[in-house]
Amino acid sequence: MTTSEKTVCVAAPAKVNLTLHLTARRDDGYHILESLVVFAGILDRITLEPADTFSLVIEGPQAHNLDALNPVDNIALRAARRMAALAGRKDGVRVVLEKNIPVSAGIGGGSADAAAVLHGLIRLWSFYPTKAALHELALGLGADVPVCLQGRSTIMEGIGDILHEAPPLPGFWLVLANPGVEVSTPLVFRAHAGDFLPPIRLTDTPRSAEDMAVQLRKGRNDLTAAAISLEPVIGECLALLTALPSCLLARMSGSGATCWALFSTEYEARTAAKALRTAKPAWWVAAAPALHTVDPFGLADSPVSFTGI
Ligand code: C5P
């Protein structure tokens, strides 16, 4: 078998926090949270090739935002090294990362990349760690990596380490908008000054996107005020998304700055995304379907238009 025949290609879809409730702060500074997480059809792609050493090539429309960072520190490469250590392997892997998801944007780009590398190496190396060992490795890479590894609509608790399957959710579309500012997750968590409030869970299984929006409206993203205090343009982003025709609800994802707007149909979402792009040509705007179950290998062959960019 040649090297190219052994290449593995994996999709890394963006994660979106539909709610993000902070309920306490631990002594080590991490926060206990409750969050309804879904995935969206906007993907990074990871290609893995057998190699003697570890290396990373970053390409794609968002690659320039990672250029300044040390590639050795990239979470995708860290995931590969730790997986090799767990597998007791002496060789490395060449990682090619097609970066479509904005960096430091609250939609889990780095976490999704790390999870995709773990999925890919399981296949490339035919190495099957125990579920517990894989979970621990993922959590050690970052609090959002376990949910990205899980790859389905999830209620996330603890610091991100306790995962429950979400109730059945309807199909819907999202417009994701990033106003072009990178925000530091630790700084946003640190700026959270509010009291801790109880989480608001979906009480009934939503039958439609409209029904889901009604229920989600009762929920919160508790990092919103903190993120806006650091980057006021996030407030403008939320206001513009909310005002888009057919938008059912708009909120921030994760620690920002990306915000989402919820739509019933692809047509409504694509029309709204076009209008927002016209109004804010410098912003990153994507229309994407919610993915309730992610097939990281099947999705890797999706047409580029599926990414919605
Ligand atoms: O785990 P990860 O490296 O992704 O977390 C980045 C930062 O986000 C942490 O250093 C911490 O400041 C904050 N965080 C938190 N509580 C969480 C997850 C992240 O305070 N549950």
Side-chain angles (χ1 to χ4, degrees), residues 22 25 29-33 111 139 141-144 158-160 185-187 189-190:
L22 301 188
R25 187 182 296 112
Y30 268 79
H31 291 75
I32 308 291
L33 49 83
S111 306
L139 188 62
L141 288 163
D144 276 344
I159 61 161
T185 300
L187 287 187
F189 270 99
R190 221 171 294 152

Side-chain angles (χ1 to χ4, degrees), residues 169-173 202 204-218 246-249 260 262-266 268:
L169 299 176
F172 58 89
W173 274 72
L202 296 185
D204 305 310
T205 301
R207 290 175 311 275
S208 64
E210 289 85 352
D211 193 13
M212 201 169 76
V214 168
Q215 294 198 42
L216 289 176
R217 193 177 294 280
K218 298 176 202 152
S246 308
C247 167
L248 297 170
L249 183 68
W260 52 262
L262 180 66
F263 294 86
S264 294
T265 67
E266 175 176 2
E268 289 167 349

Side-chain angles (χ1 to χ4, degrees), residues 2 24 78 109 121 127 166 189 193-194 217 238 242 248 277:
T2 65
R78 252 185 290 141
L121 290 179
F127 165 61
F189 270 99
R217 193 177 294 280
L238 278 171
T242 304
L248 297 170
R277 256 183 231 119

Side-chain angles (χ1 to χ4, degrees), residues 99-279:
K99 196 80 202 143
N100 299 309
I101 302 175
V103 175
S104 298
I107 48 176
S111 306
D113 296 343
V117 166
L118 299 182
H119 278 304
L121 290 179
I122 287 171
R123 178 167 287 196
L124 187 73
W125 291 340
S126 301
F127 165 61
Y128 305 100
T130 63
K131 219 177 151 188
L134 190 60
H135 179 82
E136 197 184 314
L137 192 158
L139 188 62
L141 288 163
D144 276 344
V145 182
V147 75
C148 290
L149 196 61
Q150 175 128 311
R152 60 171 176 265
S153 300
T154 295
I155 294 172
M156 183 166 89
E157 293 181 332
I159 61 161
D161 55 326
I162 302 171
L163 306 177
H164 308 285
E165 200 172 327
L169 299 176
F172 58 89
W173 274 72
L174 295 165
V175 171
L176 299 170
N178 185 292
V181 288
E182 289 185 17
V183 293
S184 151
T185 300
L187 287 187
V188 174
F189 270 99
R190 221 171 294 152
H192 170 72
D195 289 336
F196 294 107
L197 300 169
I200 309 277
R201 296 195 171 89
L202 296 185
T203 45
D204 305 310
T205 301
R207 290 175 311 275
S208 64
E210 289 85 352
D211 193 13
M212 201 169 76
V214 168
Q215 294 198 42
L216 289 176
R217 193 177 294 280
K218 298 176 202 152
R220 315 176 301 271
N221 179 332
D222 287 336
L223 291 174
T224 309
I228 291 175
S229 74
L230 296 174
E231 291 290 351
V233 71
I234 296 171
E236 186 192 356
C237 185
L238 278 171
L240 287 180
L241 283 172
T242 304
L244 289 170
S246 308
C247 167
L248 297 170
L249 183 68
R251 291 281 159 82
M252 190 178 81
S253 179
S255 53
T258 308
C259 299
W260 52 262
L262 180 66
F263 294 86
S264 294
T265 67
E266 175 176 2
Y267 177 77
E268 289 167 349
R270 290 201 184 279
T271 306
K274 205 171 157 193
L276 185 57
R277 256 183 231 119
T278 304

